[in-house]
Amino acid sequence: MKIINIVGARPNFIKIAPIMKAMKRDNFLDPILLHTGQHYDHILSGSFFKELEIPEPDINLEVGSMSHAKQVAMIMSKFDDVCDELKPDAILVVGDVNSTMACTLVASKKSIKSIHVEAGIRSFDRTMPEEVNRLVTDSLADLLLPPSPDAIVNLKNEGCDEGKIEMVGNIMIDSLLYFDTKISSSDILSRLSLGEKKFVTLTLHRPSNVDSFEALSSILEALDYIQKRVKIVFPVHPRTDKMIDQFGLRDKINQMNNLLCIDPVGYFDFGKLIAESFFVLTDSGGIQEETTVRKIPCITLRENTERPVTVTEGTNQLAGSDKYKIIKFADEIFNGKWKEGRVPEMWDGKTASRILDAIKKSCSL
Ligand code: UD1
Ligand code: UDP
């Protein structure tokens, strides 16, 4: 079975690594790896291929950055030609980025089967670009592989045929557990002069936070309060870096002596930062999951989450961009009042092997 695995942006690389490994070990599948080029800087793309032992992509569409609609259109146009040339039996997409949706749309128009890993999660917020990508991808995909029971409920509520759904667990956690030793060995703490549990890690890149002056300013005020108590390490996403300048907020950031802004870091370094953080502040999807598995307190700077088990079972709480809420939660952590949480079902490092079983089962039907 010839299958094209699609990646485009940072979180995709972490999800595809264990799937590619499992497919290469198996002689039932003939895997091809396609990179759309949505992310292209070494620190958002190449470094993950190297660290996570992902083979060089067989094809790179090299689309680059532009408006979302143009990016989706460009990926579709180029992927259409690839499908004509390679005639795959199926494609596999992960997550919820523009590349995920664009390639699923092409496959659907060409009657090529598509498989969606991380299907069914919903924030119920259509102003979030990823929510639209999730809805379109899941309504077209032929095999839906959710990470958690809430995602199955969402798919059923949308009228999805139950025969297409197979719970496989969380693929992101396969990478976290597989590379645990390499993560532990990272020397980032000494490079940044950080002590264990003596710092907070922050990431921010959602348009609802960083493309809004009000939201970003409110978050910065909360950060100012927190950095007076504990050092904050902030690997700054390029979208955020651009918006900080555009909104004239650079001086405000530079005035916070205990806020350490650095470039995005590699997977092992970032994993070490999370594992050794006092707590984490983030608007990332994947980091809500990784903190839950690591049992590190996580304050999510969003009003909603498509990963509700990280709140109901894990260490996550939603604060939005409201400075008072962020400070209130931070104070609870400073005062030792936070839940320990537990690891959700099937977030166990065996998801890639369940994905392969589900693909084989669906082929034999
Ligand atoms: C994308 C995904 C988001 C994911 C995030 C992971 C969509 C809709 N969004 O958001 O779901 O959480 O990736 O990090 O697919 N840029 C660079 N170098 C790069 C890539 C981008 O500097 O290699 C800059 C460009 O100025 C670009 C901006 O970052 O305009 C945003 O990139 P884009 O891929 O549109 O979205 P992200 O915010 O990265
Ligand atoms: N990550 C990383 N370096 C960083 C920031 C994040 O390796 O500087 C990893 C993080 O551990 C997680 C993934 O990137 O595995 C999350 O991706 P991101 O936040 O970009 O996307 P999202 O999950 O929000 O879609």
Side-chain angles (χ1 to χ4, degrees):
M1 179 179 174
K2 191 193 275 187
I3 183 162
I4 305 187
N5 297 305
I6 311 292
V7 289
R10 178 166 67 186
N12 293 168
F13 310 134
I14 297 148
K15 292 166 195 171
I16 212 70
I19 298 174
M20 280 303 288
K21 265 201 181 75
M23 284 186 179
K24 289 269 183 195
R25 272 199 308 264
D26 194 293
N27 45 26
F28 174 73
L29 294 166
D30 173 15
I32 294 167
L33 184 61
L34 181 142
H35 191 330
T36 63
Q38 180 176 344
H39 281 178
Y40 41 87
D41 282 339
H42 179 74
I43 201 53
L44 290 182
S45 175
S47 83
F48 293 90
F49 281 79
K50 196 160 167 261
E51 286 193 333
L52 303 181
E53 301 157 10
I54 307 168
E56 277 297 304
D58 300 288
I59 302 151
N60 192 325
L61 303 182
E62 295 183 340
V63 295
S65 301
M66 59 202 81
S67 78
H68 282 187
K70 287 195 177 121
Q71 188 174 60
V72 168
M74 173 97 76
I75 296 170
M76 286 185 70
S77 166
K78 291 189 168 193
F79 188 52
D80 192 51
D81 293 342
V82 170
C83 289
D84 284 343
E85 197 188 320
L86 297 183
K87 302 197 175 8
D89 300 300
I91 70 159
L92 178 142
V93 295
V94 292
D96 52 19
V97 303
N98 288 341
S99 306
T100 311
M101 178 187 72
C103 293
T104 308
L105 259 164
V106 173
S108 161
K109 300 230 170 264
K110 300 181 98 69
S111 301
I112 297 166
K113 297 262 179 259
S114 58
I115 301 157
H116 185 204
V117 175
E118 205 180 89
I121 62 173
R122 296 287 181 270
S123 65
F124 302 100
D125 172 6
R126 290 193 185 196
T127 65
M128 187 183 190
E130 294 81 2
E131 182 73 354
V132 176
N133 293 343
R134 293 178 198 124
L135 285 161
V136 174
T137 303
D138 286 338
S139 70
L140 298 176
D142 299 282
L143 179 59
L144 296 154
L145 304 176
S148 48
D150 56 285
I152 299 178
V153 173
N154 294 335
L155 290 168
K156 286 187 187 164
N157 286 346
E158 287 165 17
C160 175
D161 171 3
E162 282 185 39
K164 291 180 12 180
I165 309 171
E166 181 93 32
M167 161 109 156
V168 291
N170 191 325
I171 192 63
M172 202 115 190
I173 305 310
D174 278 31
S175 279
L176 191 73
L177 300 180
Y178 183 84
F179 290 107
D180 196 35
T181 311
K182 291 199 169 161
I183 292 170
S184 301
S185 309
S186 156
D187 63 356
I188 188 152
L189 264 51
S190 62
R191 276 188 278 131
L192 299 181
S193 306
L194 302 168
E196 287 174 14
K197 307 287 171 199
K198 297 221 167 79
F199 64 94
V200 164
T201 302
L202 163 72
T203 78
L204 269 183
H205 71 278
R206 296 258 98 86
S208 58
N209 283 329
V210 305
D211 293 4
S212 152
F213 178 78
E214 288 70 29
L216 191 53
S217 303
S218 172
I219 291 171
L220 290 185
E221 285 187 38
L223 295 180
D224 194 20
Y225 172 87
I226 295 168
Q227 61 98 35
K228 289 186 176 122
R229 307 263 318 250
V230 62
K231 187 171 209 134
I232 302 176
V233 181
F234 182 18
V236 187
H237 190 282
R239 170 188 284 279
T240 312
D241 203 43
K242 203 166 63 181
M243 296 315 293
I244 288 169
D245 284 330
Q246 210 160 303
F247 289 141
L249 291 168
R250 184 70 60 190
D251 285 348
K252 199 172 167 95
I253 286 190
N254 289 342
Q255 279 156 17
M256 295 188 221
N257 293 329
N258 230 4
L259 173 66
L260 178 62
C261 295
I262 56 174
D263 285 337
V265 294
Y267 183 71
F268 299 155
D269 284 346
F270 193 78
K272 180 77 173 179
L273 285 179
I274 293 188
E276 300 302 345
S277 284
F278 182 27
F279 62 93
V280 168
L281 292 159
T282 193
D283 59 11
S284 157
I287 297 168
Q288 294 172 62
E289 300 173 334
E290 291 167 343
T291 46
T292 273
V293 170
R294 293 272 187 216
K295 300 199 178 221
I296 300 293
C298 178
I299 303 175
T300 291
L301 308 176
R302 288 178 45 195
E303 304 294 340
N304 49 53
T305 179
E306 60 289 325
R307 290 152 162 103
V309 288
T310 61
V311 178
T312 54
E313 297 182 32
T315 55
N316 193 16
Q317 286 285 15
L318 303 180
S321 57
D322 178 343
K323 64 181 168 192
Y324 299 109
K325 242 188 194 166
I326 302 169
I327 289 171
K328 176 179 156 287
F329 282 143
D331 278 340
E332 283 179 23
I333 299 172
F334 287 131
N335 294 329
K337 292 187 190 132
W338 205 258
K339 51 187 176 175
E340 196 191 326
R342 64 185 151 96
V343 178
E345 187 196 350
M346 289 196 196
W347 293 25
D348 57 2
K350 296 177 185 152
T351 291
S353 115
R354 284 190 288 265
I355 289 171
L356 254 68
D357 289 346
I359 295 174
K360 287 179 192 169
K361 191 171 128 196
S362 85
C363 288
S364 63
L365 292 178

